[in-house]
Amino acid sequence: MNTLQLVWKNITQQLGSTLLSIILTAFGVAILVSIYITSDTFEKQLDNNSKQVDLVVGAKGSPLQLILSALYHIDNPTGNILLSEAEKLQDNPMIDMAVPISLGDNFKGHRIIGTDTSFMTLYELGLASGKMWTKSYEVVIGSETARKRQLKLGDQIHSAHGLAENAHVHDEHPFTVVGILKPSGTVVDNLLLCNLESVWDVHGIHHDDHDHDHEGHDHDHDHAHTNESKTIETAAHDHEGHDHEHEHATTATASPAQEDSLVAERPRANVFVKSIADDIIKDHGLEITALLVKYRTPAAIGVIPKMINQSTSMQAASPALETARLFSLLGVGIDSLEILAYVIMIIAGLSVFISLYNALKDRKYDLAIMRTMGASKIKLFSMLIVEGLVITSIGGLIGLALGHLGLYFISTQTGQSADIIQAFKIYSKEWLILLIACLIGVVASVIPAIKAYNTTISTILGNK
């Protein structure tokens, strides 16, 4: 009977203590594998999603929340910002690209993003099939969205209001799938992209056929501006050339203070009219959720965020800084779980040690018989070492399987934010974790092995 057969027979004879050691080792390895895969995957995904974006501009609030909602799409936005105010940043010579995004709806948990074609350039995206949108209610979908929802070109979908999957569905405004993106390894794979007008239209926001061509900086608000200006100019003209009865009709829409101001400012009528029209457009203008900014020059790092935060009603958040802050917050919990996992594995090692040490009391006569039959001291020593190694190896392999199955279960029970976890991918560090578990088993069995090595045949058989 060879060493492995002897070891397996010994293990099955003390099944209770052996199972305890295997379970403890499995739990320790499972926790370590889950922590490693999750932290490593999220770190890579956070880097992939933010490496093209130097700054995110949005409404005042939490900078971290702004980053999570605009870049990683795992939180609610801080609010909206005026498109007219955001567009001013596009002409800054320090900014290479400023991509608008507008959130508000989802399709079965996948967020619908209103943007323009510069979004494709920013994330270096390509089409696997179909074409880009050319009008409202046309969407280009990510590869994972198409796969999980079984969507193909020409399919029509209905968006749900808000970012919750079970929200009110806009049945009256179906979207048509016109393109499917190539896999990018980013959160974009789980999104649906359309133009800004689609987001405004589905919520009944009038935009006067606004054509937001980001690359050409062609922002056309002249139609609304002209209408407002004509209205005010007509009111001013009527106020000058008509009788008291018409003045009374005019004051029905303008206060006496406004009339006095009109008269007082008559020599500068054009300037005054322009000012009022600008205020009206600003107060009732179109809004977006955020602006994704890419710098043209490194000097912008110290200038642009400060300028936005101090001189505008918007806030600027740096993905690099906020991601580092996020990991510092998560780091405490991750470190604590790692310590817990190693403690469990050490306890598993103690369990192996106690199991083998106590088993020697019942097996010392068997060991003496083996010695009389020609077994060397080295064979007895190696047999105990192999026994500890086998126990922790079995526990380690079970732990690897439990870790991957646990991650798969988590990914199926949570939203699209967990889709980035590849539950069944084998990582190189997993073998290191398994090796650590095996070493713990070897160390735990050294003292019982030494005791077996020092077995005295005459003493044991004489006492028997």
Side-chain angles (χ1 to χ4, degrees):
M1 189 176 289
N2 59 35
T3 303
L4 284 178
Q5 289 175 322
L6 288 171
V7 166
W8 185 251
K9 187 175 181 180
N10 291 333
I11 288 176
T12 54
Q13 284 180 345
Q14 45 183 359
L15 197 57
S17 58
T18 299
L19 284 177
L20 177 61
S21 301
I22 290 175
I23 291 172
L24 289 173
T25 304
F27 272 114
V29 170
I31 293 173
L32 283 175
V33 167
S34 301
I35 291 172
Y36 169 70
I37 294 178
T38 303
S39 60
D40 181 72
T41 304
F42 270 104
E43 185 175 359
K44 289 180 179 177
Q45 285 294 325
L46 290 176
D47 182 64
N48 289 338
N49 286 307
S50 62
K51 65 181 180 181
Q52 303 295 339
V53 181
D54 297 316
L55 194 71
V56 178
V57 180
K60 297 286 188 183
S62 167
L64 181 57
Q65 182 182 353
L66 176 60
I67 295 297
L68 292 177
S69 64
L71 278 186
Y72 309 123
H73 303 282
I74 54 177
D75 201 353
N76 293 318
T78 55
N80 289 332
I81 58 176
L82 288 171
L83 178 61
S84 58
E85 189 174 11
E87 285 175 342
K88 297 175 184 178
L89 295 175
Q90 297 170 338
D91 297 324
N92 192 300
M94 291 187 175
I95 292 178
D96 179 47
M97 191 180 298
V99 180
I101 63 170
S102 189
L103 308 177
D105 286 343
N106 76 93
F107 170 69
K108 295 183 178 180
H110 300 269
R111 297 194 179 190
I112 298 175
I113 311 298
T115 184
D116 59 26
T117 54
S118 60
F119 189 92
M120 302 283 290
T121 305
L122 181 66
Y123 280 93
E124 300 176 352
L125 303 174
L127 287 171
S129 60
K131 62 176 184 177
M132 289 297 297
W133 62 80
T134 57
K135 58 184 179 180
S136 295
Y137 300 118
E138 291 184 342
V139 292
V140 175
I141 63 177
S143 58
E144 285 299 301
T145 305
R147 181 186 65 82
K148 290 191 294 186
R149 302 306 173 188
Q150 301 297 311
L151 295 175
K152 59 184 182 300
L153 297 179
D155 286 351
Q156 287 195 334
I157 61 173
H158 295 274
S159 63
H161 182 68
L163 303 178
E165 185 175 351
N166 57 351
H168 169 70
V169 177
H170 298 293
D171 293 322
E172 67 280 7
H173 297 297
F175 285 81
T176 302
V177 178
V178 297
I180 299 176
L181 296 172
K182 295 178 181 178
S184 63
T186 67
V187 72
V188 180
D189 292 341
N190 285 284
L191 302 179
L192 297 91
L193 307 179
C194 63
N195 59 14
L196 290 168
E197 287 78 9
S198 298
V199 177
W200 295 329
D201 288 340
V202 79
H203 294 98
I205 300 173
H206 184 61
H207 53 81
D208 291 330
D209 296 323
H210 174 86
D211 183 15
H212 184 80
D213 186 358
H214 176 75
E215 294 178 357
H217 301 288
D218 181 15
H219 311 290
D220 186 10
H221 295 284
D222 293 340
H223 181 68
H225 180 87
T226 303
N227 287 344
E228 298 292 350
S229 300
K230 285 181 178 179
T231 301
I232 298 172
E233 286 176 350
T234 302
H237 177 73
D238 291 344
H239 179 79
E240 292 182 51
H242 291 74
D243 54 14
H244 174 73
E245 182 178 355
H246 194 80
E247 287 179 12
H248 181 72
T250 304
T251 56
T253 58
S255 64
Q258 289 174 321
E259 288 184 359
D260 293 339
S261 299
L262 282 168
V263 175
E265 294 290 342
R266 193 172 298 155
R268 299 190 298 120
N270 291 336
V271 176
F272 183 67
V273 168
K274 183 177 185 300
S275 177
I276 292 179
D278 285 345
D279 290 343
I280 291 174
I281 292 175
K282 181 178 180 181
D283 292 341
H284 304 283
L286 300 171
E287 294 181 335
I288 60 174
T289 304
L291 202 64
L292 308 181
V293 176
K294 185 176 182 180
Y295 294 143
R296 188 186 303 274
T297 171
I301 298 175
V303 176
I304 299 298
K306 184 176 181 181
M307 181 269 291
I308 293 172
N309 290 327
Q310 295 183 354
S311 305
T312 70
S313 60
M314 304 178 291
Q315 75 162 332
S318 169
L321 293 177
E322 296 306 321
T323 301
R325 188 160 73 91
L326 177 62
F327 267 102
S328 68
L329 294 174
L330 295 176
V332 177
I334 292 175
D335 292 342
S336 300
L337 287 175
E338 285 185 349
I339 293 173
L340 174 63
Y342 282 116
V343 168
I344 292 175
M345 291 178 66
I346 291 173
I347 293 174
L350 289 175
S351 176
V352 171
F353 166 73
I354 294 172
S355 174
L356 295 178
Y357 194 85
N358 289 334
L360 281 176
K361 296 178 181 178
D362 299 326
R363 290 158 50 187
K364 59 183 180 179
Y365 181 74
D366 296 334
L367 294 176
I369 295 297
M370 290 176 61
R371 289 280 284 116
T372 60
M373 295 177 64
S376 64
K377 291 186 176 182
I378 296 297
K379 184 176 180 65
L380 299 184
F381 180 88
S382 61
M383 187 178 68
L384 269 294
I385 294 293
V386 170
E387 189 170 339
L389 181 61
V390 168
I391 292 173
T392 49
S393 296
I394 294 173
L397 291 172
I398 293 174
L400 290 180
L402 287 177
H404 285 279
L405 289 174
L407 289 175
Y408 175 75
F409 178 77
I410 292 172
S411 66
T412 57
Q413 296 299 314
T414 56
Q416 66 184 47
S417 59
D419 293 337
I420 60 177
I421 299 177
Q422 299 180 1
F424 295 112
K425 178 182 177 181
I426 303 298
Y427 294 81
S428 58
K429 195 173 180 179
E430 293 183 50
W431 303 115
L432 178 61
I433 295 173
L434 182 60
L435 178 61
I436 292 173
C438 293
L439 287 176
I440 290 176
V442 170
V443 172
S445 55
V446 167
I447 294 178
I450 292 174
K451 191 171 182 178
Y453 180 86
N454 293 327
T455 299
T456 306
I457 300 175
S458 58
T459 304
I460 294 174
L461 295 180
N463 294 334
K464 190 70 176 179

